[in-house]
Amino acid sequence: MNFRLEKTDEKTNARAGVITTDHGIIETPIFMPVGTIGSVKAVHMRELESDIKAQIILGNTYHLYLRPGLTILEQAGGLHRFNSWKKPILTDSGGFQVFSLSDNRKLTEEGVIFRSHIDGSKHIFTPENVVDTQRIIGSDIMMALDECTPGNAEYNYAKQSMERTHRWLSRGVKHFKETESKYGYSQTFFPIVQGCVYPNLRRESAKYIADQDMEGNAIGGLAVGEPTEKMYEMIDIVNEILPKNKPRYLMGVGTPANILEGIERGVDMFDCVMPTRNGRNGMLFTRNGIINIKNKCWANDFSPIDIESDCFVDITYSKAYLRHLFISKELLGMQIASIHNLAFYLWLVKEARKHILLGDFKSWKDEMIQKVTNRIS
């Protein structure tokens, strides 16, 4: 993997760059649709590429490990061949599931022991075997095993967790360097900064991660219950330390406003389930604000979903029709809303990139924040 920084905004830390992988080029800042188990919910691969214009998607190591399982993925020749996605794929390491499945897991120095949410079977993730698992999945960008602490974790627990994550990272980096890709193309490995909401821990973790000298770095453990302003503070702290010549990935964040604030603070890569999850429940993100398409006020509104959008669903379907689909519980409604929201997110980061290159990012971002946080109805 290669990262070329094209421009940094003069008034902020916003950056425009290009990541080059063996499966294609990614222009940053970028949003990655979440394809947890090898598919982005309710969206065809052809729609991801042609309509949404996704440049990279995300897969989840925990879920893919359980279903379809490593045997099937290896027989298929990796996830790209299994799901017919020809562009880059990033996989997380299962660390977030360590956090979210707290009732079914046990942390040890060796790794994390957990029970499957599917059948209750017992498994273990170690820093080494999550590398092996992601080798078999065949992702272009792999993540190190970490523990994601909740946003309200006490200091001593956050410190112990961070230190364990660092020990796991040393083992993971060693194993990554001792192994090779299975399918004839290169893979890269990102460490993850932890430290909860404590500035000194975040600085210590960012320094430790930067010292690993990997090709990119991630920021984890945010948007997990802490106040939004505290999240922004941690991003500022971490990005003062993480190297400027390598991409920075903010994991699991977030709303359109979160993404714009992250870009302003020097983040290059984002992912979140919000566009599809909220879309399936009738919430639409548009250039003029947030719409609940189930509301009666849209029943006879025959205008496009987002009048300025260049996504095909917006000029093909009206708000009234989309509301009808949701009220009638037609699956097509969830599909249209998911495609629209993802197209909007990709449009948003593309516009951010354009304004970074033009040199007016700050004024554009401040105006856009007001729009995207507006609740229309």
Side-chain angles (χ1 to χ4, degrees), residues 80-104:
H80 288 91
R81 292 186 179 179
F82 188 60
N83 70 359
S84 300
W85 177 252
K86 297 178 175 59
K87 293 185 178 183
I89 295 174
L90 179 147
T91 47
D92 66 10
S93 66
F96 183 75
Q97 280 63 43
V98 173
F99 162 70
S100 61
L101 302 173
S102 57
D103 293 338
N104 292 310

Side-chain angles (χ1 to χ4, degrees), residues 30-55:
I30 192 64
F31 179 82
M32 301 178 282
V34 176
T36 303
I37 54 173
S39 72
V40 177
K41 290 186 186 298
V43 180
H44 286 290
M45 293 297 171
R46 65 173 179 269
E47 292 163 339
L48 277 171
E49 184 169 2
S50 62
D51 304 318
I52 295 165
K53 299 178 176 59
Q55 299 177 44

Side-chain angles (χ1 to χ4, degrees), residues 338-366:
S338 297
I339 294 170
H340 166 80
N341 281 351
L342 286 172
F344 171 76
Y345 268 61
L346 268 295
W347 172 87
L348 187 67
V349 294
K350 184 178 180 181
E351 283 294 295
R353 174 184 169 81
K354 181 177 80 174
H355 287 281
I356 293 167
L357 293 173
L358 287 173
D360 64 353
F361 170 79
K362 177 63 175 172
S363 59
W364 171 84
K365 174 256 178 185
D366 289 345

